[in-house]
Amino acid sequence: MADDRMTVAQLRAAMAQFVAEREWDKFHSPKNLSMGLSVEAAELMEHFLWIDNAESRTVGQDPVRRQEVADEMADIACYLLALANTLQIDLSESIANKLLKNARKYPVEQYRGRFKLDN
Amino acid sequence: MADDRMTVAQLRAAMAQFVAEREWDKFHSPKNLSMGLSVEAAELMEHFLWIDNAESRTVGQDPVRRQEVADEMADIACYLLALANTLQIDLSESIANKLLKNARKYPVEQYRGRFKLDN
Amino acid sequence: MADDRMTVAQLRAAMAQFVAEREWDKFHSPKNLSMGLSVEAAELMEHFLWIDNAESRTVGQDPVRRQEVADEMADIACYLLALANTLQIDLSESIANKLLKNARKYPVEQYRGRFKLDN
Amino acid sequence: MADDRMTVAQLRAAMAQFVAEREWDKFHSPKNLSMGLSVEAAELMEHFLWIDNAESRTVGQDPVRRQEVADEMADIACYLLALANTLQIDLSESIANKLLKNARKYPVEQYRGRFKLDN
């Protein structure tokens, strides 16, 4: 897997180069990038719109739909990388912090197998 | 920056462990994860809702709002990593493919400084 | 039901008055209103995030959650009414046109009980 | 304007007939409808993605784009009507309640010309 070798910084650099070559920084305000990301998130969601959770788990087995879903995920990732570049935010550090915060918010003993305490 | 050292696979592994410890795989259908991602994308967007593009560029200068935005970006990243884990999709490869596809779709000569041909 | 008596124009007028009293027209660009509507749509969706389709049908039976869902739907409606006011678009006519267009796109004989032709 | 004559109940009835003719109630769980609404909200937002607030106010002057935007607004309205039908929620009453709640939350004297107290 390319994910095994690729650092987040390398992905950020590839995105930064793509944007710089087209002089698109002027469009890449955080407001616009957050909108673009939300639009791509909706396009991802559309693949799972009318089906049940169970059926959505089988989408990865169909090569065509798998590729379409991977493409939408890449679009989301690109906007996230572009926003990290624009705001100079360290994504890996933010993710590590968030996982720590969520580990405290959802202690294993209380949340094993449930997403809220009364379910 | 942690982004300089961290591979995507390492981030995926951290997310996978978080989910496995809580036995949350049963909630992590692609349908649910795409909805969660879209909800977090909206929460990111909310930070830029009533302001202009220009003002949205200054958000990174306010430490409190910067941290809030970084937190929302981490939430989005976590859902994306979880979905990549569930569907066993190589994010780095998908991003590389998408950048190639977009480079062909938006040739530098035609799209420099513009996001569509007639603007 | 108030829906039996209330015209769309009366709802539009109530929303217009609310906005005018606060001099919020300056914030109500179509760009901002579309973002706000999308944020509220995500808040509605959040109520159904981790549950199955079947369980989501029972939400209306719990008075507290029913009220929360009705509140989110009202938020969405308010943004839609505000956008119709800003752009001076006739919502009822647009809905009638769209239903005609969709009736042609999804003929009853072919789409009865299915949302696409091969399912 | 058709909005002057059309009651919300009449719009709901038109939508209910469209759904019943196709036997689509089985797809119309609140979970699915909230996802569909969010997808359409993103499609609306896409029309205003790369432009400034000021430019977004001019979109209504271009007949083609005006029609496209009206179409997206109708899609959102249709999902909202379908959800109101599924959950048997009185939209007009919910909107009236929400406007009262917001009128208390945003008193005219304090919020005139501002969307939060320190801006």
Side-chain angles (χ1 to χ4, degrees):
Chain A
M1 244 189 359
D3 281 347
D4 289 328
R5 309 178 294 279
M6 197 71 79
T7 64
V8 178
Q10 287 173 308
L11 294 173
R12 291 176 66 147
M15 187 62 200
Q17 190 191 333
F18 182 89
V19 173
E21 283 170 354
R22 283 157 191 79
E23 297 173 11
W24 280 1
D25 305 85
K26 65 177 173 179
F27 302 124
H28 278 205
S29 71
K31 184 178 175 98
N32 281 351
L33 291 174
S34 72
M35 286 175 79
L37 201 156
S38 199
V39 167
E40 298 300 337
E43 292 184 7
L44 172 66
M45 198 162 59
E46 206 173 355
H47 288 276
F48 309 112
L49 177 49
W50 297 115
I51 60 181
D52 274 320
N53 280 314
E55 190 181 341
S56 80
R57 289 186 187 269
T58 69
V59 161
Q61 294 159 24
D62 174 336
V64 174
R65 301 186 68 189
R66 182 186 180 79
Q67 186 55 52
E68 290 171 349
V69 166
D71 265 13
E72 303 293 2
M73 290 171 68
D75 280 330
I76 293 166
C78 285
Y79 276 111
L80 198 59
L81 296 165
L83 187 56
N85 285 338
T86 292
L87 291 172
Q88 294 180 279
I89 281 175
D90 189 333
L91 265 181
S92 302
E93 192 190 289
S94 302
I95 294 168
N97 287 341
K98 176 53 74 128
L99 285 177
L100 277 174
K101 202 183 290 188
N102 279 346
R104 282 191 297 267
K105 188 175 172 187
Y106 303 106
V108 168
E109 308 73 36
Q110 291 175 277
Y111 283 90
R112 191 178 289 118
R114 42 165 69 169
F115 60 87
K116 54 179 182 171
L117 290 185
D118 59 356
N119 77 318
Chain B
M1 245 190 358
D3 281 346
D4 289 327
R5 313 178 289 281
M6 197 70 80
T7 64
V8 178
Q10 287 172 309
L11 294 173
R12 291 177 67 147
M15 187 64 200
Q17 191 191 333
F18 182 89
V19 174
E21 284 170 354
R22 283 158 191 79
E23 298 173 12
W24 280 0
D25 305 84
K26 64 178 175 180
F27 301 124
H28 278 205
S29 70
K31 183 178 176 99
N32 281 351
L33 291 174
S34 72
M35 287 175 78
L37 201 155
S38 199
V39 167
E40 297 300 337
E43 291 185 7
L44 172 66
M45 196 160 61
E46 206 172 357
H47 289 276
F48 309 113
L49 177 48
W50 297 115
I51 59 180
D52 275 320
N53 280 313
E55 190 181 340
S56 80
R57 289 187 188 268
T58 69
V59 162
Q61 294 159 23
D62 173 337
V64 174
R65 300 186 69 189
R66 182 184 180 80
Q67 186 55 51
E68 290 170 349
V69 166
D71 265 12
E72 302 294 2
M73 291 171 68
D75 280 329
I76 293 166
C78 286
Y79 276 111
L80 198 59
L81 296 165
L83 188 56
N85 285 338
T86 292
L87 292 172
Q88 295 179 278
I89 280 175
D90 189 333
L91 266 181
S92 302
E93 191 190 289
S94 302
I95 293 168
N97 287 341
K98 177 53 73 128
L99 285 177
L100 277 175
K101 201 183 290 187
N102 279 347
R104 282 192 297 268
K105 187 174 172 187
Y106 303 107
V108 168
E109 308 74 36
Q110 292 176 275
Y111 283 89
R112 190 179 288 118
R114 43 165 69 168
F115 60 88
K116 53 179 184 171
L117 291 184
D118 59 356
N119 78 322
Chain C
M1 245 191 356
D3 281 346
D4 290 327
R5 313 178 288 281
M6 197 72 79
T7 64
V8 178
Q10 287 173 308
L11 294 173
R12 291 177 68 148
M15 187 64 200
Q17 189 191 335
F18 182 89
V19 173
E21 283 170 355
R22 284 158 190 79
E23 297 172 12
W24 279 1
D25 304 85
K26 64 178 175 178
F27 301 124
H28 278 205
S29 71
K31 183 178 176 100
N32 282 351
L33 290 174
S34 72
M35 287 175 78
L37 200 155
S38 198
V39 167
E40 297 301 336
E43 291 185 7
L44 172 66
M45 196 162 60
E46 206 173 356
H47 288 276
F48 310 112
L49 177 48
W50 296 115
I51 59 179
D52 274 320
N53 280 314
E55 191 181 340
S56 80
R57 289 185 188 269
T58 69
V59 161
Q61 294 159 21
D62 174 338
V64 175
R65 301 186 69 190
R66 181 185 181 81
Q67 185 56 52
E68 290 171 349
V69 166
D71 265 12
E72 302 294 0
M73 291 171 68
D75 280 329
I76 293 166
C78 286
Y79 276 112
L80 198 59
L81 296 165
L83 188 56
N85 285 338
T86 293
L87 291 172
Q88 295 179 279
I89 281 176
D90 189 333
L91 266 180
S92 302
E93 190 190 291
S94 302
I95 293 169
N97 287 341
K98 176 53 73 127
L99 285 176
L100 278 174
K101 201 183 289 188
N102 279 346
R104 284 191 296 267
K105 188 174 172 187
Y106 303 107
V108 168
E109 308 74 36
Q110 292 176 277
Y111 283 89
R112 190 179 289 118
R114 41 166 69 169
F115 60 88
K116 53 178 184 173
L117 290 184
D118 59 356
N119 78 319
Chain D
M1 247 191 355
D3 281 347
D4 290 327
R5 309 179 291 280
M6 196 71 80
T7 64
V8 178
Q10 288 173 308
L11 294 173
R12 290 176 68 148
M15 187 63 201
Q17 190 191 334
F18 182 89
V19 173
E21 284 170 355
R22 283 157 191 80
E23 296 172 13
W24 280 1
D25 305 85
K26 64 177 175 180
F27 301 125
H28 278 205
S29 70
K31 183 178 176 100
N32 281 351
L33 291 174
S34 73
M35 287 175 78
L37 200 156
S38 198
V39 167
E40 297 301 336
E43 291 184 8
L44 172 66
M45 197 162 60
E46 206 173 357
H47 288 276
F48 310 112
L49 177 48
W50 297 115
I51 60 179
D52 274 320
N53 280 314
E55 190 181 340
S56 80
R57 289 186 187 269
T58 69
V59 161
Q61 294 159 23
D62 173 338
V64 174
R65 301 186 70 189
R66 182 185 180 79
Q67 185 56 52
E68 290 171 350
V69 166
D71 266 12
E72 303 294 0
M73 289 171 69
D75 279 329
I76 293 166
C78 286
Y79 276 112
L80 198 59
L81 295 165
L83 188 56
N85 285 338
T86 293
L87 292 172
Q88 295 179 279
I89 280 175
D90 189 334
L91 266 181
S92 302
E93 190 190 290
S94 302
I95 293 168
N97 287 340
K98 176 53 72 127
L99 285 177
L100 277 175
K101 202 183 288 187
N102 279 346
R104 282 192 296 267
K105 189 174 172 186
Y106 303 106
V108 168
E109 308 74 37
Q110 292 177 276
Y111 283 89
R112 190 179 289 117
R114 42 166 68 169
F115 59 88
K116 53 179 183 171
L117 290 184
D118 59 355
N119 77 322

